[in-house]
């Protein structure tokens, strides 16, 4: 039996960030993930700069041997209408490949890794949690994404809470060499197209020699029809002059709502998609995953590892104060709106001012919110993870 201080299930950005912060304070952490890494994740791979700052990642170092595409403009439109381009004087976001980004974060976390190991069993013994009868810890973190086994086992959600779940399809592929120079979408300018009913949006993003195309909608039963319409439009407007080499892949995740209504046993926390933290306006999930991982680590350090003092209620209050009110006002969301609001939103989306100051700066880039800074500072460097 491997005994450790904190056991994290899930080695995505949330789990890695949490482990990285704890390892700096010499906490013994094991990360268990069912996948072998590097593994891919269905995602556009759009990351805002405060993520790199909070994790103290040197962008030059990261981008030395990995794709890290700076974005200095966005083109945004509604299906059937023209797109408006908004330019910035500096990179305001980056496009990464999740197979590279997640592997980098995991190895850098310094945690002991148990990869290719799915959770089969969870039970408590005394004041410890035992997973798969092979790892035990007094504190258990669920970072297993939307289908996290810790969340499924423990999380009690208010049955009246209206869950906002995004269903999305995506594909990422390497451009054939003969299509690279002529491909019409430039690396510095991702293109977004809102569905005509404003129930979601599609994107086409170039990251170096890779292209990522996808579309996400909230609570959508007819996603494939919208994806097909979007791909047709990309072809008709000349934005996608080649055939997709792979079929689209689907995934789901929960937008932030009803946080304060999730109850967990003492010593158990959920972070990232397992808690359902993605931004309700943009669907951005990487930054909330990483920040919630750091906040969880900070809460554990503040409790000096005492599981009785690691409570989900107090942690979720910290998440709320960082990420905002529980349920965003309906008027602030580009989805699930009534006809009058939809008309107003369509008009607003044609306004350059609205696109820049509200949609992009406020909702997509969160330029008003600085990078997360926490109480504890690093004591030991952690460059390399050990493998169990
Ligand atoms: C199509 C699409 C596009 C997106 N685009 C963006 C974007 O551009 N920018 C952005 O910020 N967000 C985006 N998101 C959201 C983002 O991908 C997630 O919010 C983010 O990955 C959450 O990170 P996480 O660490 O919580 O979970 P994950 O990244 O999902 O990691 C969870 C880990 O848990 C492991 N796991 C799961 N079950 C088990 C088990 N039973 N046992 C052991 N291990 C397990 C998995 O193997 C995985 O490694 C997108 C999502 C989708 C679906």
């Amino acid at each position: 039996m491997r005994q450790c201080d904190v056991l994290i299930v899930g080695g995505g950005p949330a789990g890695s960030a949490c482990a990285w912060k704890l390892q700096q304070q010499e906490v013994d952490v094991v990360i268990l993930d069912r996948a072998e890494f590097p593994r891919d994740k269905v995602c556009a791979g759009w990351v805002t700069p405060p993520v790199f700052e909070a994790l103290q990642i040197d962008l030059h170092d990261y981008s030395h041997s990995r794709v890290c595409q700076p974005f200095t403009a966005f083109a945004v439109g509604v299906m059937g209408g023209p797109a408006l381009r908004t330019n910035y004087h500096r990179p305001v976001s980056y496009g990464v490949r999740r197979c590279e980004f997640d592997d980098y974060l995991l190895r850098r976390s310094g945690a002991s890794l148990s990869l290719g190991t799915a959770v089969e069993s969870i039970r408590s013994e005394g004041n410890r949690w035992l997973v798969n009868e092979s790892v035990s810890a007094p504190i258990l973190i669920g970072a297993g994404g939307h289908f996290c086994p810790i969340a499924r086992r423990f999380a009690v959600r208010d049955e009246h809470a209206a869950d906002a779940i995004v269903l999305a399809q995506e594909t990422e592929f390497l451009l054939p060499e003969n299509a690279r120079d002529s491909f019409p979408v430039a690396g510095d300018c991702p293109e977004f197209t809102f569905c005509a009913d404003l129930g979601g949006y599609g994107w086409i993003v170039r990251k170096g020699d890779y292209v990522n195309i996808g579309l996400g909608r909230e609570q959508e039963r007819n996603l494939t029809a919208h994806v097909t319409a979007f791909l047709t439009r990309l072809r008709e407007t000349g934005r996608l002059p080649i055939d997709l080499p792979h079929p689209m892949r689907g995934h789901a995740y929960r937008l932030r709502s009803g946080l304060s209504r999730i109850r967990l046993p003492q010593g158990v926390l959920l972070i990232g998609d397992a808690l359902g933290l993605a931004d309700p306006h943009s669907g951005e999930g990487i930054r909330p995953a990483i920040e919630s991982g750091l906040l969880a680590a900070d809460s554990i350090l503040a409790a000096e590892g005492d599981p009785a003092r690691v409570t989900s209620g107090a942690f979720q209050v910290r998440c709320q104060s960082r990420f905002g009110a529980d349920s965003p006002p309906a008027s602030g969301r580009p989805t699930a709106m009534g006809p009058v609001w939809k008309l107003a939103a369509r008009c607003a989306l044609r306004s350059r001012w609205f696109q820049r100051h509200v949609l992009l700066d406020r909702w997509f880039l969160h330029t008003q919110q600085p990078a997360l800074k926490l109480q504890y500072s690093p004591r030991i460097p952690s460059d390399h993870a050990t493998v169990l």
Side-chain angles (χ1 to χ4, degrees):
M1 177 78 65
R2 168 72 158 87
Q3 308 228 352
C4 60
D5 300 323
V6 178
L7 171 56
I8 301 177
V9 171
S16 293
C18 184
W20 174 77
K21 194 76 196 166
L22 290 170
Q23 285 285 131
Q24 286 176 334
Q25 300 300 321
E26 297 174 36
V27 176
D28 182 17
V29 182
V30 171
I31 295 180
L32 184 146
D33 199 297
R34 70 178 169 198
E36 297 283 357
F37 278 62
R39 63 102 177 86
D40 211 358
K41 158 79 180 68
V42 176
C43 183
W46 171 21
V47 180
T48 42
V51 160
F52 294 102
E53 199 179 325
L55 292 177
Q56 296 164 20
I57 294 172
D58 179 342
L59 267 173
H60 292 291
D61 174 50
Y62 179 80
S63 55
H64 179 65
S65 55
R66 300 169 195 89
V67 172
C68 187
Q69 172 70 57
F71 298 145
T72 53
F74 296 94
V76 181
V78 181
M79 279 284 254
L84 293 180
R85 184 181 164 115
T86 303
N87 293 309
Y88 291 86
H89 297 299
R90 59 180 203 293
V92 287
S93 260
Y94 296 89
V96 299
R97 300 193 67 222
R98 287 294 299 269
C99 51
E100 296 175 348
F101 185 68
D102 290 18
D103 189 52
Y104 171 86
L105 295 186
L106 185 66
R107 309 285 167 193
R108 181 181 188 261
S109 74
S112 298
L113 306 179
S114 178
L115 302 178
T117 316
V119 170
E120 303 287 349
S121 66
I122 310 163
R123 68 178 179 90
S124 63
E125 192 175 274
N127 63 351
R128 298 183 80 85
W129 297 102
L130 272 65
V131 171
N132 292 354
E133 303 296 325
S134 64
V135 194
S136 104
I139 296 174
L140 180 61
I141 307 287
H146 187 65
F147 301 104
C148 179
I150 308 302
R152 275 188 296 174
R153 165 74 189 271
F154 293 116
V156 179
R157 286 176 190 269
D158 185 332
E159 60 188 47
H160 302 299
D163 269 352
I165 295 182
V166 167
L167 298 183
Q169 288 187 16
E170 170 262 18
T171 184
E172 184 165 292
F173 58 91
L174 181 64
L175 277 172
E177 256 177 66
N178 61 2
R180 289 181 193 166
D181 289 344
S182 59
F183 197 76
V185 178
D188 62 350
C189 182
E191 300 182 8
F192 299 106
T193 306
F194 281 87
C195 300
D197 65 358
L198 304 182
Y201 66 88
W203 63 87
I204 178 163
V205 183
R206 180 166 181 176
K207 304 182 276 189
D209 290 331
Y210 290 84
V211 171
N212 188 297
I213 298 174
L215 184 139
R217 286 178 63 84
E218 191 180 322
Q219 305 286 20
E220 182 53 45
R221 289 185 186 82
N222 203 11
L223 178 65
T224 304
H226 287 278
V227 170
T228 305
F230 177 56
L231 291 176
T232 304
R233 178 183 154 89
L234 288 178
R235 292 203 178 90
E236 283 173 357
T237 53
R239 311 311 286 161
L240 182 59
I242 56 173
D243 290 331
L244 295 181
H246 320 292
M248 309 281 281
R249 300 173 305 164
H251 198 64
Y253 62 115
R254 191 178 270 111
L255 301 177
R256 193 170 60 250
S257 62
L259 256 191
S260 58
R261 296 183 286 257
I262 300 169
R263 294 180 297 282
L264 294 161
Q266 259 181 12
V268 179
L269 300 180
L270 299 180
I271 55 179
D273 276 7
L275 187 56
L277 288 179
D279 185 88
H281 298 114
S282 63
E284 177 187 24
I286 297 172
R287 178 173 172 179
I290 284 171
E291 291 189 349
S292 63
L294 296 174
L295 284 169
D298 200 60
S299 298
I300 293 165
L301 294 168
E304 292 169 339
D306 176 2
R309 292 171 56 205
V310 177
T311 60
S312 59
F315 170 64
Q316 286 161 25
V317 167
R318 289 192 78 182
C319 286
Q320 271 178 320
S321 68
R322 174 65 183 172
F323 302 121
D326 226 20
S327 300
S331 58
R333 305 174 61 161
T335 54
M337 294 185 285
V340 175
W341 284 111
K342 278 187 179 165
L343 184 64
R346 281 181 75 88
C347 293
L349 278 170
R350 286 195 213 110
S351 146
R352 282 191 185 281
W353 184 92
F354 178 85
Q355 277 208 12
R356 178 175 205 112
H357 296 289
V358 181
L359 184 84
L360 292 171
D361 285 354
R362 193 166 183 81
W363 289 349
F364 276 59
L365 298 169
H366 303 285
T367 51
Q368 77 284 7
Q369 192 177 44
L372 186 67
K373 292 221 171 8
L374 291 168
Q375 184 186 345
Y376 287 88
S377 53
R379 274 209 312 256
I380 53 164
S382 53
D383 291 319
H384 302 289
T386 52
V387 178
L388 287 182

